[in-house]
Amino acid sequence: MTSVDGPGTSQQDAPGAGWPAGAYPYPPVEPDRLTRFVLRVHERAPRWAVPLAALGCVGMGVAYTLVSDPTRSAPDAEPSCLLKLTTGLDCPGCGGTRALWYVLHADLPAAARHHLVFVFALPFLAYLFVAWAGNQAFGWRLPELRISPPMIGGFLGLWLAFSVVRNLPWAPFTSLYV
């Protein structure tokens, strides 16, 4: 028994008619040389390589922050952020590098003054990284943080509200300028 899909065609004439039910009717695309190389490297890499690479990236960011000392810029220096340079407004990430510098020097009030949302999120991000890296590298099973999509949406909404409030030109919001 065949069903008719259109005028003059039956399901037997359709492409992929010999495939089992539910199977993808097209053959997989052959990966290119770069994809095959990356897959080979991934298969041969030890479990701890990716967490170590991520830790290296975080370490380079921390080293850059410590070496550059973002708190010592001249008062009349032009901002490096394109949004602040063109509009004069603080972007959602403005003050993040200075906040990290103050966190690394254990001055949490100054860090919170530069970017409160970053300081709030930092312990959660650190725990998520340690839990992921420990699982990947050593098979540790740390308790999971249950972060639901509404929680992520709430955090992003808070970050957006903070970004808007810190640009308002009235007191007490002017104290949030960085």
Side-chain angles (χ1 to χ4, degrees), residues 133-164:
N135 187 15
Q136 290 286 71
F138 308 113
W140 296 344
R141 296 284 180 196
L142 296 176
E144 287 184 21
L145 288 180
R146 304 236 183 243
I147 301 175
S148 65
M151 287 177 70
I152 293 172
F155 176 76
L156 293 176
L158 173 73
W159 192 8
L160 177 66
F162 175 74
S163 300
V164 170

PDB file of all heavy atoms in Angstrom, residues 133-164:
ATOM      1  N   ALA A 133      34.995  21.881  35.647  1.00  0.00           N
ATOM      2  CA  ALA A 133      36.383  21.454  35.438  1.00  0.00           C
ATOM      3  C   ALA A 133      36.702  20.220  36.272  1.00  0.00           C
ATOM      4  O   ALA A 133      37.382  19.303  35.799  1.00  0.00           O
ATOM      5  CB  ALA A 133      37.344  22.595  35.774  1.00  0.00           C
ATOM      6  N   GLY A 134      36.214  20.164  37.506  1.00  0.00           N
ATOM      7  CA  GLY A 134      36.451  18.988  38.340  1.00  0.00           C
ATOM      8  C   GLY A 134      35.813  17.744  37.762  1.00  0.00           C
ATOM      9  O   GLY A 134      36.385  16.654  37.812  1.00  0.00           O
ATOM     10  N   ASN A 135      34.623  17.877  37.190  1.00  0.00           N
ATOM     11  CA  ASN A 135      33.956  16.745  36.553  1.00  0.00           C
ATOM     12  C   ASN A 135      34.699  16.317  35.299  1.00  0.00           C
ATOM     13  O   ASN A 135      34.912  15.123  35.072  1.00  0.00           O
ATOM     14  CB  ASN A 135      32.504  17.103  36.236  1.00  0.00           C
ATOM     15  CG  ASN A 135      31.728  15.920  35.722  1.00  0.00           C
ATOM     16  OD1 ASN A 135      32.155  14.779  35.844  1.00  0.00           O
ATOM     17  ND2 ASN A 135      30.581  16.177  35.155  1.00  0.00           N
ATOM     18  N   GLN A 136      35.102  17.285  34.484  1.00  0.00           N
ATOM     19  CA  GLN A 136      35.790  16.957  33.233  1.00  0.00           C
ATOM     20  C   GLN A 136      37.149  16.316  33.490  1.00  0.00           C
ATOM     21  O   GLN A 136      37.502  15.337  32.854  1.00  0.00           O
ATOM     22  CB  GLN A 136      35.990  18.220  32.390  1.00  0.00           C
ATOM     23  CG  GLN A 136      34.742  18.776  31.809  1.00  0.00           C
ATOM     24  CD  GLN A 136      34.240  17.939  30.653  1.00  0.00           C
ATOM     25  OE1 GLN A 136      33.760  16.833  30.831  1.00  0.00           O
ATOM     26  NE2 GLN A 136      34.354  18.472  29.475  1.00  0.00           N
ATOM     27  N   ALA A 137      37.930  16.911  34.388  1.00  0.00           N
ATOM     28  CA  ALA A 137      39.306  16.468  34.575  1.00  0.00           C
ATOM     29  C   ALA A 137      39.436  15.270  35.502  1.00  0.00           C
ATOM     30  O   ALA A 137      40.235  14.368  35.252  1.00  0.00           O
ATOM     31  CB  ALA A 137      40.143  17.628  35.109  1.00  0.00           C
ATOM     32  N   PHE A 138      38.680  15.252  36.587  1.00  0.00           N
ATOM     33  CA  PHE A 138      38.884  14.231  37.614  1.00  0.00           C
ATOM     34  C   PHE A 138      37.671  13.360  37.884  1.00  0.00           C
ATOM     35  O   PHE A 138      37.742  12.456  38.716  1.00  0.00           O
ATOM     36  CB  PHE A 138      39.320  14.900  38.928  1.00  0.00           C
ATOM     37  CG  PHE A 138      40.481  15.829  38.770  1.00  0.00           C
ATOM     38  CD1 PHE A 138      40.306  17.191  38.952  1.00  0.00           C
ATOM     39  CD2 PHE A 138      41.733  15.359  38.422  1.00  0.00           C
ATOM     40  CE1 PHE A 138      41.370  18.064  38.802  1.00  0.00           C
ATOM     41  CE2 PHE A 138      42.796  16.219  38.270  1.00  0.00           C
ATOM     42  CZ  PHE A 138      42.619  17.580  38.459  1.00  0.00           C
ATOM     43  N   GLY A 139      36.532  13.670  37.261  1.00  0.00           N
ATOM     44  CA  GLY A 139      35.323  12.899  37.491  1.00  0.00           C
ATOM     45  C   GLY A 139      34.623  13.251  38.795  1.00  0.00           C
ATOM     46  O   GLY A 139      33.788  12.493  39.267  1.00  0.00           O
ATOM     47  N   TRP A 140      34.962  14.407  39.395  1.00  0.00           N
ATOM     48  CA  TRP A 140      34.299  14.825  40.636  1.00  0.00           C
ATOM     49  C   TRP A 140      32.838  15.101  40.366  1.00  0.00           C
ATOM     50  O   TRP A 140      32.460  15.614  39.332  1.00  0.00           O
ATOM     51  CB  TRP A 140      34.915  16.095  41.186  1.00  0.00           C
ATOM     52  CG  TRP A 140      36.341  15.986  41.614  1.00  0.00           C
ATOM     53  CD1 TRP A 140      37.059  14.857  41.851  1.00  0.00           C
ATOM     54  CD2 TRP A 140      37.218  17.090  41.837  1.00  0.00           C
ATOM     55  NE1 TRP A 140      38.333  15.177  42.213  1.00  0.00           N
ATOM     56  CE2 TRP A 140      38.461  16.546  42.213  1.00  0.00           C
ATOM     57  CE3 TRP A 140      37.079  18.460  41.769  1.00  0.00           C
ATOM     58  CZ2 TRP A 140      39.545  17.343  42.516  1.00  0.00           C
ATOM     59  CZ3 TRP A 140      38.169  19.245  42.065  1.00  0.00           C
ATOM     60  CH2 TRP A 140      39.385  18.692  42.435  1.00  0.00           C
ATOM     61  N   ARG A 141      32.012  14.797  41.315  1.00  0.00           N
ATOM     62  CA  ARG A 141      30.574  15.078  41.229  1.00  0.00           C
ATOM     63  C   ARG A 141      30.193  16.064  42.330  1.00  0.00           C
ATOM     64  O   ARG A 141      29.755  15.663  43.400  1.00  0.00           O
ATOM     65  CB  ARG A 141      29.760  13.796  41.368  1.00  0.00           C
ATOM     66  CG  ARG A 141      29.984  12.803  40.275  1.00  0.00           C
ATOM     67  CD  ARG A 141      29.273  13.252  39.040  1.00  0.00           C
ATOM     68  NE  ARG A 141      29.497  12.268  37.988  1.00  0.00           N
ATOM     69  CZ  ARG A 141      29.270  12.494  36.744  1.00  0.00           C
ATOM     70  NH1 ARG A 141      28.848  13.666  36.359  1.00  0.00           N
ATOM     71  NH2 ARG A 141      29.490  11.568  35.851  1.00  0.00           N
ATOM     72  N   LEU A 142      30.396  17.337  42.078  1.00  0.00           N
ATOM     73  CA  LEU A 142      29.993  18.361  43.040  1.00  0.00           C
ATOM     74  C   LEU A 142      28.511  18.629  42.894  1.00  0.00           C
ATOM     75  O   LEU A 142      27.939  18.430  41.823  1.00  0.00           O
ATOM     76  CB  LEU A 142      30.787  19.644  42.801  1.00  0.00           C
ATOM     77  CG  LEU A 142      32.297  19.543  43.019  1.00  0.00           C
ATOM     78  CD1 LEU A 142      32.973  20.843  42.645  1.00  0.00           C
ATOM     79  CD2 LEU A 142      32.603  19.189  44.458  1.00  0.00           C
ATOM     80  N   PRO A 143      27.857  19.087  43.952  1.00  0.00           N
ATOM     81  CA  PRO A 143      26.430  19.405  43.844  1.00  0.00           C
ATOM     82  C   PRO A 143      26.195  20.439  42.752  1.00  0.00           C
ATOM     83  O   PRO A 143      26.938  21.409  42.622  1.00  0.00           O
ATOM     84  CB  PRO A 143      26.080  19.973  45.219  1.00  0.00           C
ATOM     85  CG  PRO A 143      27.136  19.465  46.131  1.00  0.00           C
ATOM     86  CD  PRO A 143      28.360  19.298  45.310  1.00  0.00           C
ATOM     87  N   GLU A 144      25.159  20.202  41.969  1.00  0.00           N
ATOM     88  CA  GLU A 144      24.855  21.089  40.850  1.00  0.00           C
ATOM     89  C   GLU A 144      24.082  22.309  41.317  1.00  0.00           C
ATOM     90  O   GLU A 144      23.239  22.212  42.204  1.00  0.00           O
ATOM     91  CB  GLU A 144      23.995  20.361  39.813  1.00  0.00           C
ATOM     92  CG  GLU A 144      24.721  19.337  39.013  1.00  0.00           C
ATOM     93  CD  GLU A 144      23.820  18.730  37.950  1.00  0.00           C
ATOM     94  OE1 GLU A 144      22.810  19.358  37.581  1.00  0.00           O
ATOM     95  OE2 GLU A 144      24.129  17.628  37.508  1.00  0.00           O
ATOM     96  N   LEU A 145      24.375  23.439  40.697  1.00  0.00           N
ATOM     97  CA  LEU A 145      23.521  24.609  40.864  1.00  0.00           C
ATOM     98  C   LEU A 145      22.392  24.457  39.861  1.00  0.00           C
ATOM     99  O   LEU A 145      22.634  24.292  38.673  1.00  0.00           O
ATOM    100  CB  LEU A 145      24.291  25.894  40.560  1.00  0.00           C
ATOM    101  CG  LEU A 145      25.342  26.342  41.552  1.00  0.00           C
ATOM    102  CD1 LEU A 145      25.995  27.628  41.071  1.00  0.00           C
ATOM    103  CD2 LEU A 145      24.717  26.567  42.911  1.00  0.00           C
ATOM    104  N   ARG A 146      21.201  24.470  40.329  1.00  0.00           N
ATOM    105  CA  ARG A 146      20.049  24.346  39.436  1.00  0.00           C
ATOM    106  C   ARG A 146      19.677  25.731  38.924  1.00  0.00           C
ATOM    107  O   ARG A 146      19.017  26.492  39.615  1.00  0.00           O
ATOM    108  CB  ARG A 146      18.888  23.699  40.156  1.00  0.00           C
ATOM    109  CG  ARG A 146      19.251  22.356  40.741  1.00  0.00           C
ATOM    110  CD  ARG A 146      18.335  21.293  40.237  1.00  0.00           C
ATOM    111  NE  ARG A 146      18.678  20.038  40.883  1.00  0.00           N
ATOM    112  CZ  ARG A 146      19.113  19.009  40.198  1.00  0.00           C
ATOM    113  NH1 ARG A 146      19.257  19.101  38.914  1.00  0.00           N
ATOM    114  NH2 ARG A 146      19.413  17.889  40.811  1.00  0.00           N
ATOM    115  N   ILE A 147      20.137  26.031  37.730  1.00  0.00           N
ATOM    116  CA  ILE A 147      19.886  27.335  37.121  1.00  0.00           C
ATOM    117  C   ILE A 147      18.879  27.131  36.002  1.00  0.00           C
ATOM    118  O   ILE A 147      19.187  26.535  34.979  1.00  0.00           O
ATOM    119  CB  ILE A 147      21.193  27.947  36.591  1.00  0.00           C
ATOM    120  CG1 ILE A 147      22.177  28.104  37.741  1.00  0.00           C
ATOM    121  CG2 ILE A 147      20.917  29.292  35.932  1.00  0.00           C
ATOM    122  CD1 ILE A 147      23.535  28.579  37.329  1.00  0.00           C
ATOM    123  N   SER A 148      17.692  27.630  36.209  1.00  0.00           N
ATOM    124  CA  SER A 148      16.620  27.462  35.233  1.00  0.00           C
ATOM    125  C   SER A 148      16.627  28.620  34.246  1.00  0.00           C
ATOM    126  O   SER A 148      17.209  29.677  34.521  1.00  0.00           O
ATOM    127  CB  SER A 148      15.278  27.401  35.956  1.00  0.00           C
ATOM    128  OG  SER A 148      15.017  28.639  36.581  1.00  0.00           O
ATOM    129  N   PRO A 149      15.992  28.446  33.095  1.00  0.00           N
ATOM    130  CA  PRO A 149      15.899  29.554  32.139  1.00  0.00           C
ATOM    131  C   PRO A 149      15.266  30.817  32.727  1.00  0.00           C
ATOM    132  O   PRO A 149      15.738  31.917  32.432  1.00  0.00           O
ATOM    133  CB  PRO A 149      15.065  28.971  31.001  1.00  0.00           C
ATOM    134  CG  PRO A 149      15.362  27.502  31.044  1.00  0.00           C
ATOM    135  CD  PRO A 149      15.515  27.188  32.507  1.00  0.00           C
ATOM    136  N   PRO A 150      14.226  30.720  33.581  1.00  0.00           N
ATOM    137  CA  PRO A 150      13.722  31.960  34.191  1.00  0.00           C
ATOM    138  C   PRO A 150      14.765  32.663  35.076  1.00  0.00           C
ATOM    139  O   PRO A 150      14.800  33.886  35.139  1.00  0.00           O
ATOM    140  CB  PRO A 150      12.523  31.506  35.020  1.00  0.00           C
ATOM    141  CG  PRO A 150      12.068  30.251  34.376  1.00  0.00           C
ATOM    142  CD  PRO A 150      13.313  29.598  33.862  1.00  0.00           C
ATOM    143  N   MET A 151      15.621  31.873  35.741  1.00  0.00           N
ATOM    144  CA  MET A 151      16.671  32.488  36.551  1.00  0.00           C
ATOM    145  C   MET A 151      17.673  33.222  35.667  1.00  0.00           C
ATOM    146  O   MET A 151      18.116  34.324  36.003  1.00  0.00           O
ATOM    147  CB  MET A 151      17.390  31.439  37.393  1.00  0.00           C
ATOM    148  CG  MET A 151      16.572  30.941  38.554  1.00  0.00           C
ATOM    149  SD  MET A 151      17.403  29.649  39.483  1.00  0.00           S
ATOM    150  CE  MET A 151      18.717  30.558  40.252  1.00  0.00           C
ATOM    151  N   ILE A 152      18.035  32.621  34.549  1.00  0.00           N
ATOM    152  CA  ILE A 152      18.951  33.285  33.613  1.00  0.00           C
ATOM    153  C   ILE A 152      18.306  34.546  33.059  1.00  0.00           C
ATOM    154  O   ILE A 152      18.941  35.597  32.975  1.00  0.00           O
ATOM    155  CB  ILE A 152      19.365  32.321  32.485  1.00  0.00           C
ATOM    156  CG1 ILE A 152      20.210  31.178  33.051  1.00  0.00           C
ATOM    157  CG2 ILE A 152      20.126  33.059  31.391  1.00  0.00           C
ATOM    158  CD1 ILE A 152      20.503  30.087  32.075  1.00  0.00           C
ATOM    159  N   GLY A 153      17.029  34.454  32.699  1.00  0.00           N
ATOM    160  CA  GLY A 153      16.309  35.626  32.212  1.00  0.00           C
ATOM    161  C   GLY A 153      16.231  36.716  33.270  1.00  0.00           C
ATOM    162  O   GLY A 153      16.387  37.903  32.969  1.00  0.00           O
ATOM    163  N   GLY A 154      16.002  36.325  34.519  1.00  0.00           N
ATOM    164  CA  GLY A 154      15.967  37.296  35.612  1.00  0.00           C
ATOM    165  C   GLY A 154      17.308  37.974  35.812  1.00  0.00           C
ATOM    166  O   GLY A 154      17.390  39.190  36.025  1.00  0.00           O
ATOM    167  N   PHE A 155      18.391  37.187  35.741  1.00  0.00           N
ATOM    168  CA  PHE A 155      19.726  37.761  35.880  1.00  0.00           C
ATOM    169  C   PHE A 155      20.021  38.731  34.738  1.00  0.00           C
ATOM    170  O   PHE A 155      20.545  39.828  34.973  1.00  0.00           O
ATOM    171  CB  PHE A 155      20.790  36.666  35.933  1.00  0.00           C
ATOM    172  CG  PHE A 155      22.186  37.213  35.971  1.00  0.00           C
ATOM    173  CD1 PHE A 155      22.689  37.756  37.143  1.00  0.00           C
ATOM    174  CD2 PHE A 155      22.976  37.219  34.845  1.00  0.00           C
ATOM    175  CE1 PHE A 155      23.962  38.289  37.187  1.00  0.00           C
ATOM    176  CE2 PHE A 155      24.249  37.749  34.872  1.00  0.00           C
ATOM    177  CZ  PHE A 155      24.745  38.276  36.048  1.00  0.00           C
ATOM    178  N   LEU A 156      19.690  38.336  33.512  1.00  0.00           N
ATOM    179  CA  LEU A 156      19.929  39.234  32.370  1.00  0.00           C
ATOM    180  C   LEU A 156      19.071  40.492  32.477  1.00  0.00           C
ATOM    181  O   LEU A 156      19.514  41.588  32.113  1.00  0.00           O
ATOM    182  CB  LEU A 156      19.683  38.495  31.058  1.00  0.00           C
ATOM    183  CG  LEU A 156      20.678  37.382  30.747  1.00  0.00           C
ATOM    184  CD1 LEU A 156      20.278  36.648  29.475  1.00  0.00           C
ATOM    185  CD2 LEU A 156      22.090  37.920  30.642  1.00  0.00           C
ATOM    186  N   GLY A 157      17.837  40.352  32.982  1.00  0.00           N
ATOM    187  CA  GLY A 157      16.988  41.525  33.209  1.00  0.00           C
ATOM    188  C   GLY A 157      17.582  42.441  34.270  1.00  0.00           C
ATOM    189  O   GLY A 157      17.560  43.667  34.128  1.00  0.00           O
ATOM    190  N   LEU A 158      18.116  41.851  35.352  1.00  0.00           N
ATOM    191  CA  LEU A 158      18.775  42.633  36.390  1.00  0.00           C
ATOM    192  C   LEU A 158      19.979  43.375  35.820  1.00  0.00           C
ATOM    193  O   LEU A 158      20.206  44.550  36.119  1.00  0.00           O
ATOM    194  CB  LEU A 158      19.205  41.716  37.537  1.00  0.00           C
ATOM    195  CG  LEU A 158      20.052  42.353  38.640  1.00  0.00           C
ATOM    196  CD1 LEU A 158      19.177  43.252  39.503  1.00  0.00           C
ATOM    197  CD2 LEU A 158      20.715  41.280  39.474  1.00  0.00           C
ATOM    198  N   TRP A 159      20.744  42.687  34.993  1.00  0.00           N
ATOM    199  CA  TRP A 159      21.933  43.297  34.382  1.00  0.00           C
ATOM    200  C   TRP A 159      21.521  44.446  33.465  1.00  0.00           C
ATOM    201  O   TRP A 159      22.143  45.503  33.466  1.00  0.00           O
ATOM    202  CB  TRP A 159      22.709  42.237  33.627  1.00  0.00           C
ATOM    203  CG  TRP A 159      24.077  42.634  33.190  1.00  0.00           C
ATOM    204  CD1 TRP A 159      24.761  43.776  33.523  1.00  0.00           C
ATOM    205  CD2 TRP A 159      24.943  41.893  32.358  1.00  0.00           C
ATOM    206  NE1 TRP A 159      25.989  43.765  32.940  1.00  0.00           N
ATOM    207  CE2 TRP A 159      26.135  42.627  32.229  1.00  0.00           C
ATOM    208  CE3 TRP A 159      24.837  40.681  31.712  1.00  0.00           C
ATOM    209  CZ2 TRP A 159      27.210  42.187  31.463  1.00  0.00           C
ATOM    210  CZ3 TRP A 159      25.908  40.247  30.956  1.00  0.00           C
ATOM    211  CH2 TRP A 159      27.074  40.977  30.827  1.00  0.00           C
ATOM    212  N   LEU A 160      20.445  44.257  32.699  1.00  0.00           N
ATOM    213  CA  LEU A 160      19.953  45.322  31.823  1.00  0.00           C
ATOM    214  C   LEU A 160      19.457  46.507  32.652  1.00  0.00           C
ATOM    215  O   LEU A 160      19.770  47.669  32.335  1.00  0.00           O
ATOM    216  CB  LEU A 160      18.840  44.797  30.918  1.00  0.00           C
ATOM    217  CG  LEU A 160      18.192  45.825  29.999  1.00  0.00           C
ATOM    218  CD1 LEU A 160      19.186  46.325  28.974  1.00  0.00           C
ATOM    219  CD2 LEU A 160      16.984  45.225  29.316  1.00  0.00           C
ATOM    220  N   ALA A 161      18.719  46.238  33.715  1.00  0.00           N
ATOM    221  CA  ALA A 161      18.229  47.319  34.573  1.00  0.00           C
ATOM    222  C   ALA A 161      19.399  48.066  35.206  1.00  0.00           C
ATOM    223  O   ALA A 161      19.398  49.309  35.270  1.00  0.00           O
ATOM    224  CB  ALA A 161      17.308  46.754  35.648  1.00  0.00           C
ATOM    225  N   PHE A 162      20.402  47.346  35.656  1.00  0.00           N
ATOM    226  CA  PHE A 162      21.593  47.977  36.226  1.00  0.00           C
ATOM    227  C   PHE A 162      22.287  48.849  35.177  1.00  0.00           C
ATOM    228  O   PHE A 162      22.736  49.958  35.483  1.00  0.00           O
ATOM    229  CB  PHE A 162      22.546  46.896  36.753  1.00  0.00           C
ATOM    230  CG  PHE A 162      23.860  47.425  37.243  1.00  0.00           C
ATOM    231  CD1 PHE A 162      23.931  48.101  38.451  1.00  0.00           C
ATOM    232  CD2 PHE A 162      25.023  47.235  36.520  1.00  0.00           C
ATOM    233  CE1 PHE A 162      25.146  48.592  38.917  1.00  0.00           C
ATOM    234  CE2 PHE A 162      26.229  47.712  36.980  1.00  0.00           C
ATOM    235  CZ  PHE A 162      26.292  48.392  38.181  1.00  0.00           C
ATOM    236  N   SER A 163      22.348  48.363  33.934  1.00  0.00           N
ATOM    237  CA  SER A 163      22.990  49.125  32.863  1.00  0.00           C
ATOM    238  C   SER A 163      22.243  50.416  32.565  1.00  0.00           C
ATOM    239  O   SER A 163      22.854  51.435  32.255  1.00  0.00           O
ATOM    240  CB  SER A 163      23.082  48.283  31.593  1.00  0.00           C
ATOM    241  OG  SER A 163      23.842  47.131  31.839  1.00  0.00           O
ATOM    242  N   VAL A 164      20.924  50.380  32.672  1.00  0.00           N
ATOM    243  CA  VAL A 164      20.128  51.590  32.429  1.00  0.00           C
ATOM    244  C   VAL A 164      20.232  52.535  33.622  1.00  0.00           C
ATOM    245  O   VAL A 164      20.474  53.737  33.464  1.00  0.00           O
ATOM    246  CB  VAL A 164      18.656  51.216  32.142  1.00  0.00           C
ATOM    247  CG1 VAL A 164      17.770  52.446  32.133  1.00  0.00           C
ATOM    248  CG2 VAL A 164      18.554  50.468  30.819  1.00  0.00           C
TER     249      VAL A 164
END
